[in-house]
Amino acid sequence: MRISSIKLLSNSSDLITFDIGNTNDSKYIIKSIEGLDTDEINHSFYGFSVDGLTRFYNYGLTKRDIFMKIILNPRYRAGENVSKIRDDIYKAVAFTRSGLLELQFFNGAIPVAKLYGRITKIESDSFSKTSTVIVKVSCEDGIFKGISPVHMKPSDLGANSSISITDDSSSFPHGIELSLTFNQASTSFSIQDLETDPSWKFKVSPSGGFLENDILRMSSVSNNMYVYYLRGVNKTHILDTVDTDSFWPLIFPGRNDFHLPDRAKFDWDYIKYIPEYLGV
């Protein structure tokens, strides 16, 4: 994807905008940037398919470090100078107690991806003819995320026991969040890839089962996995009742097929996910 600028945000407040290319009205111009491409991808085995013939792997990246060489371009007529706008970068290091910043990547006026990280190093090039600084941002989670979730409504999901979700945006597998309401009692909830001979299956069977009007919510999003149901005003977490041989549902780039054996027993509320990218 094409990137024209990067914004630093903290608690949804704009702090600094770094522009790519020499724009006269930009205070911070990115001369060079490293760390936006894919680094070494980790593959970790986590289980076999239902028939025991295929090995399944998780994919992940090590910490991503982004290095930006920034030309400082103060607006002198507005009373700015190099020291002042450089200090604004220093202030961003500890703008909040956590120091966590959101980096939003823009194509023109449109945000296309984001990362979360902390400024871990700032170097001033005092001997250069142009006033520059090198900013290092370290991101524990190196996967780029989409800005807004893709939200699928009941009308998008239909009434069939098999559904397809096509993600032509992502370049990396990611989890989903789903919510459904039972229209009758059910001993369990299951989701798998195929109706017959599935290669993977996820099943949760809480003690006493689900009752009519129970709302089941689950997430297979990395670092935010959960499964619980709402019965009236009461929330009951049931992660410990997920079958031990279950695989959490994931969305891969392209078409993804899912089958729901208990489809007649519930009505959809939504499925949503945030696209993920290896690089920008």
Side-chain angles (χ1 to χ4, degrees), residues 123-147:
E123 294 181 0
S124 296
D125 192 353
S126 303
F127 301 101
S128 173
K129 292 181 180 180
T130 59
S131 299
T132 61
V133 295
I134 297 175
V135 178
K136 177 184 176 182
V137 182
S138 297
C139 307
E140 292 297 330
D141 183 356
I143 302 298
F144 292 90
K145 307 291 194 298
I147 299 296

Side-chain angles (χ1 to χ4, degrees), residues 83-202:
S83 178
K84 181 182 185 302
I85 66 174
R86 183 173 54 221
D87 285 349
D88 288 340
I89 299 178
Y90 291 142
K91 292 174 184 177
V93 174
F95 191 78
T96 63
R97 289 181 183 273
S98 70
L100 190 65
L101 298 172
E102 179 180 327
L103 287 75
Q104 285 195 0
F105 298 81
F106 281 73
N107 181 1
I110 301 173
V112 294
K114 62 184 177 183
L115 276 175
Y116 292 94
R118 293 176 173 85
I119 295 177
T120 54
K121 192 174 185 179
I122 300 174
E123 294 181 0
S124 296
D125 192 353
S126 303
F127 301 101
S128 173
K129 292 181 180 180
T130 59
S131 299
T132 61
V133 295
I134 297 175
V135 178
K136 177 184 176 182
V137 182
S138 297
C139 307
E140 292 297 330
D141 183 356
I143 302 298
F144 292 90
K145 307 291 194 298
I147 299 296
S148 301
V150 176
H151 198 109
M152 304 182 71
K153 306 182 297 296
S155 58
D156 301 318
L157 298 167
N160 294 330
S161 58
S162 294
I163 60 172
S164 293
I165 298 175
T166 299
D167 182 0
D168 288 330
S169 174
S170 294
S171 58
F172 197 76
H174 54 80
I176 62 172
E177 295 178 69
L178 65 79
S179 177
L180 55 89
T181 301
F182 286 93
N183 55 40
Q184 57 183 285
S186 180
T187 58
S188 63
F189 167 78
S190 299
I191 182 171
Q192 56 199 54
D193 58 343
L194 300 172
E195 181 175 3
T196 58
D197 299 324
S199 62
W200 65 266
K201 182 175 183 177
F202 176 92

Side-chain angles (χ1 to χ4, degrees), residues 222-260:
S222 177
N223 298 324
N224 187 37
M225 300 174 76
Y226 60 80
V227 55
Y228 65 85
Y229 67 83
L230 300 172
R231 183 171 293 166
V233 298
N234 297 315
K235 177 193 289 189
T236 303
H237 289 275
I238 51 176
L239 185 61
D240 59 338
T241 67
V242 174
D243 283 14
T244 56
D245 58 351
S246 286
F247 293 98
W248 292 77
L250 294 175
I251 298 289
F252 289 81
R255 174 170 169 160
N256 298 263
D257 295 313
F258 300 98
H259 180 73
L260 300 116

Side-chain angles (χ1 to χ4, degrees), residues 5-18 27-28 88 91-92 95-96 101-106 109 111:
S5 63
I6 301 172
K7 279 188 178 182
L8 293 186
L9 298 91
S10 178
N11 293 335
S12 300
S13 298
D14 288 6
L15 298 181
I16 298 172
T17 298
F18 301 114
K27 291 192 294 184
Y28 306 97
D88 288 340
K91 292 174 184 177
F95 191 78
T96 63
L101 298 172
E102 179 180 327
L103 287 75
Q104 285 195 0
F105 298 81
F106 281 73

